Amino acid sequence: MKKAGILLMLLFVAFYGTAQDGNYISKKKNATKIAIMGGGGSHDFQKYFGISDGKILSKKGKNTVNYTEDNKELGKLIGDTDVLMLTNNKPLDANIKSGIFQKVNAGNLNLLIYHPSTWYNWKDWPEYNQELVGGGSRSHEELQEFEVRVIKPDHPIMKGVPSKFRIVDELYRWEKDPNAEIEILAVSRGLKSGEEYPTVWVVKHPKAKIIGNTLGHDERAHDHEAYKTILKNSLEWVD
């Protein structure tokens, strides 16, 4: 029985990928290829964005998910990637920046831009926030409970998401770029401050589908059913 259990585990890993590193490799032909870029400071990128979110994005072996924090590895992955999830606040090299824009502008790459990557991280890359994120954050409230309110309940990304829910996270003071075209789907309000900011939005790009989401600091966000539902719906919408 013990040997059978080990064999079953090995078969699961071979088919679905290894939960230890955030890589979930599908055996299916024409599987959607998803790359997740993490890394930087203040977050456990691999544990939450790579392993927890990667498991959801893999859809039980339907999709291939590769998590990395290495510029060179992302450079190798990007050419064959269908969906790129950016969750990093570490710099990207010039070739990757160029490659992302080339694929997005050609309509060959859709983006999920989450939590750390919705920030104004890179002063030398203003077009990233202007054209891909639609804005950015420079500060956030203390890690605490706040309220999220869905304002576009009929949008597919909000399907099955409660009209209001509370979550313990960092409330990003995210602001829209004056020249960006976005559709805000959900907003968050500080319970102490009463201040309200966009939380989930769609960037209106002529060729690509791009979703921004400021949630995701730690397990209290990534294990939240509303967060997981939004992530699942987001993948369905961009895939």
Side-chain angles (χ1 to χ4, degrees), residues 66-206:
N66 292 109
Y67 174 82
T68 185
E69 297 181 9
D70 182 76
N71 270 272
K72 290 183 178 179
E73 185 176 2
L74 182 60
K76 295 176 182 178
L77 291 170
I78 197 72
D80 201 31
T81 293
D82 302 303
V83 179
L84 174 61
M85 185 175 185
L86 292 170
T87 68
N88 58 303
N89 53 27
K90 67 182 293 183
L92 298 174
D93 68 33
N95 289 333
I96 291 176
K97 293 176 184 178
S98 175
I100 289 172
F101 264 91
Q102 286 178 11
K103 287 202 70 173
V104 167
N105 290 335
N108 297 323
L109 182 66
N110 295 322
L111 300 177
L112 302 177
I113 302 176
Y114 266 53
H115 200 55
S117 290
T118 64
W119 201 264
Y120 280 109
N121 289 308
W122 307 294
K123 292 181 180 179
D124 64 340
W125 200 21
E127 60 270 27
Y128 167 75
N129 287 91
Q130 293 167 358
E131 299 178 35
L132 300 185
V133 188
S137 305
R138 293 185 174 89
S139 65
H140 61 74
E141 294 190 359
E142 293 181 1
L143 183 64
Q144 60 188 309
E145 186 178 56
F146 57 83
E147 182 179 83
V148 181
R149 177 170 60 90
V150 175
I151 62 174
K152 291 291 181 72
D154 294 331
H155 195 285
I157 295 172
M158 294 293 109
K159 182 180 179 181
V161 179
S163 59
K164 288 183 181 180
F165 62 91
R166 291 189 177 187
I167 190 169
V168 176
D169 206 332
E170 294 172 325
L171 201 171
Y172 275 21
R173 298 183 177 102
W174 193 89
E175 296 181 358
K176 174 187 171 298
D177 184 273
N179 297 317
E181 289 189 49
I182 68 170
E183 180 181 9
I184 299 171
L185 307 182
V187 296
S188 291
R189 180 180 62 84
L191 298 180
K192 294 180 180 179
S193 68
E195 295 180 356
E196 191 170 79
Y197 300 93
T199 299
V200 183
W201 64 93
V202 171
V203 178
K204 296 184 179 180
H205 191 280

